[in-house]
Amino acid sequence: MLFVGDDWAEEHHDVELQDETGRRLTKAKLPEGIAGVTRLHAMIGEHLAKDADATQVVVGIETDRGPWVQALIAAGYQVYAINPLQVARYRERRSVSGGKSDTADAHTLADMVRADRHQLRPVAGDSDQSEAVKVVTRAHKTLIWEQTRHMLRLRSALREYFPAALAAFADLTAPEALELLAKAPEPTSAARLPLTRILAAVKRARRHNAAVKAAAIRDALRADHLGQPPVVTTAYAATVRAQIAILTTLNTEIKALQEQVRAHFGQHPDADIYVSQPGLSAVLGARVLAEFGDDKTRYASAKARKNYAGTSPITRQSGKKKIVLARHVHNDRLVDAVGLQALTAIRASPGARRYYDQLRARGVGHRAALRQLGNRLVGILHGCLKTSMPYDEATAWPASPQPVGVNAA
């Protein structure tokens, strides 16, 4: 067998080939792209036995995505995506000086897949449809995060010179708020906005009780507040216009990408199983599918899926001391999605609500209770996917499910 360590960068890859004894056969710095992959195949071909096949080549690399990784998988190699933190810890086994180089990392990666690949996770064989769902859901969620950042910047600016706007608009990303602030980003011009214009903006946003809401916005904009000198107000107004333009564009693109998420997710064969789960809509279900992937062999058990989700606790025990902690190293996108599912499930599922209430009655905090509920929901999802059966409330939640263990708050 051949073992390849691949330390990648944006423009090149440092690679090292080892045999089964750990002897270095060759090393090289390869360019990114077709030329580099071709040279890598040639290097492997020079040292691979003639009667061996591609599965006897094992590659360690610090990423699980990208055209380069896909080319390695397509060639038939065994590819292991290794967390950079694991590589750093493994490197310390050989030296504690703190020295680091790309060639040394390539050597470390080759050592890891040669000696410890039984403890590493191979790159999952997710379907192209699952990968497409991941692309659009991650882009959609990223835009939502960007929307929140720019909304907070807008709020910070308004607080400095135009507090009446914060009283008038509870949601600064709402269409009517962006439209009216774009027309009147200064306190004096906003106070002069006629009720008819405000009402028209509220109606275009399709709000209920439009007349009442329009009157409330008008009154809030005309209320007396502390302000800034005119020249400072003008400067702030310019920054607010810029933030409004960005938020308006983000709103449009978020809506467009959401439709793409629904379309791609709807074509996946497991979509019905995901949306049958309590708390999972098409968009949230797509996020969970995207981060878990759809490789049927990736998670050996429900526990393995829970560990990857970051919902299962970590136990640290030494002598008589034992501590149970929440996992802080996890997939942020997946933890966010499962947390939202748990929060929604306590309103959609009587069993989930009963489980949550039992935890709270035992003194578990709200966040820790949601984390435990999310952990249970991940296990239920695993069972549904394993059996190709949709969610069933009676099966998922027996008459008196008892929470097992308590996650740290």
Side-chain angles (χ1 to χ4, degrees):
M1 296 186 70
L2 286 182
F3 302 93
V4 182
D6 186 336
D7 185 71
W8 71 279
E10 185 174 336
E11 296 181 353
H12 67 272
H13 295 249
D14 282 271
V15 298
E16 177 176 315
L17 271 64
Q18 293 182 4
D19 62 16
E20 295 183 9
T21 67
R23 180 171 62 92
R24 177 189 296 159
L25 300 175
T26 185
K27 65 177 182 178
K29 185 183 293 290
L30 306 178
E32 172 67 27
I34 294 176
V37 169
T38 302
R39 285 181 57 188
L40 177 60
H41 291 332
M43 289 169 56
I44 291 172
E46 290 175 3
H47 295 90
L48 192 65
K50 293 183 179 180
D51 57 345
D53 57 33
T55 60
Q56 292 182 270
V57 178
V58 185
V59 183
I61 188 170
E62 293 177 324
T63 183
D64 63 351
R65 60 185 183 272
W68 184 280
V69 173
Q70 291 303 313
L72 298 179
I73 295 173
Y77 305 152
Q78 298 181 52
V79 182
Y80 289 81
I82 305 174
N83 190 298
L85 186 61
Q86 288 179 286
V87 178
R89 295 292 181 268
Y90 200 91
R91 188 190 308 123
E92 293 172 358
R93 293 172 58 179
R94 297 198 323 270
S95 172
V96 295
S97 66
K100 181 186 183 303
S101 68
D102 294 340
T103 54
D105 281 352
H107 178 78
T108 299
L109 286 163
D111 274 343
M112 291 182 74
V113 293
R114 177 178 55 81
D116 293 307
R117 65 183 180 281
H118 61 287
Q119 301 185 61
L120 300 174
R121 183 191 299 273
V123 173
D126 294 330
S127 68
D128 292 344
Q129 189 61 49
S130 172
E131 189 65 24
V133 173
K134 180 189 288 188
V135 170
V136 292
T137 53
R138 285 192 170 186
H140 179 245
K141 186 60 179 178
T142 298
L143 288 187
I144 291 174
W145 282 336
E146 287 299 315
Q147 179 194 54
T148 300
R149 291 188 183 97
H150 285 284
M151 180 275 291
L152 292 174
R153 290 169 184 157
L154 173 60
R155 187 183 186 281
S156 178
L158 292 172
R159 184 177 176 274
E160 293 295 328
Y161 84 106
F162 192 2
L166 300 181
F169 306 111
D171 181 7
L172 292 175
T173 65
E176 67 273 23
L178 295 176
E179 179 182 340
L180 293 172
L181 286 174
K183 292 178 179 177
E186 299 176 352
T188 53
S189 58
R192 292 196 297 267
L193 282 173
L195 181 61
T196 53
R197 174 166 287 185
I198 297 174
L199 180 60
V202 174
K203 286 183 176 179
R204 277 192 288 273
R206 299 182 179 181
R207 303 300 182 196
H208 297 295
N209 301 320
V212 175
K213 292 182 178 178
I217 292 173
R218 178 200 59 187
D219 294 342
L221 292 176
R222 294 181 179 181
D224 292 331
H225 290 275
L226 296 175
Q228 294 276 8
V231 65
V232 177
T233 296
T234 301
Y236 270 117
T239 66
V240 163
R241 286 192 185 95
Q243 291 297 334
I244 289 172
I246 294 171
L247 282 169
T248 300
T249 301
L250 283 173
N251 284 351
T252 300
E253 298 307 319
I254 287 171
K255 185 176 180 180
L257 268 179
Q258 181 168 298
E259 294 306 313
Q260 290 295 315
V261 170
R262 292 179 182 276
H264 283 283
F265 177 65
Q267 297 172 15
H268 195 279
D270 292 335
D272 289 342
I273 294 177
Y274 276 90
V275 296
S276 72
Q277 307 294 310
L280 287 186
S281 61
V283 173
L284 197 56
R287 291 181 193 166
V288 176
L289 165 64
E291 300 309 323
F292 275 135
D294 62 356
D295 184 352
K296 302 299 182 183
T297 64
R298 183 172 185 177
Y299 306 101
S301 64
K303 186 177 185 299
R305 188 182 290 269
K306 291 175 181 179
N307 290 345
Y308 181 75
T311 55
S312 60
I314 294 176
T315 302
R316 293 183 178 177
Q317 185 172 1
S318 178
K320 295 182 179 180
K321 185 177 181 181
K322 181 179 179 180
I323 303 175
V324 180
L325 302 171
R327 291 176 184 262
H328 295 290
V329 178
H330 50 237
N331 181 327
D332 291 343
R333 294 174 184 271
L334 183 54
V335 165
D336 177 77
V338 173
L340 288 174
Q341 180 194 3
L343 185 62
T344 307
I346 59 177
R347 298 190 293 269
S349 165
R353 181 75 211 193
R354 187 168 62 249
Y355 186 83
Y356 170 83
D357 289 341
Q358 287 175 353
L359 289 168
R360 296 289 282 144
R362 291 169 51 184
V364 180
H366 171 67
R367 291 183 62 188
L370 285 181
R371 188 160 53 244
Q372 282 206 52
L373 175 57
N375 194 47
R376 172 109 183 192
L377 290 170
V378 169
I380 293 170
L381 172 64
H382 181 82
C384 291
L385 291 171
K386 185 177 180 179
T387 59
S388 298
M389 296 292 291
Y391 172 85
D392 178 74
E393 180 78 14
T395 304
W397 306 100
S400 299
Q402 294 298 320
V404 179
V406 178
N407 282 16

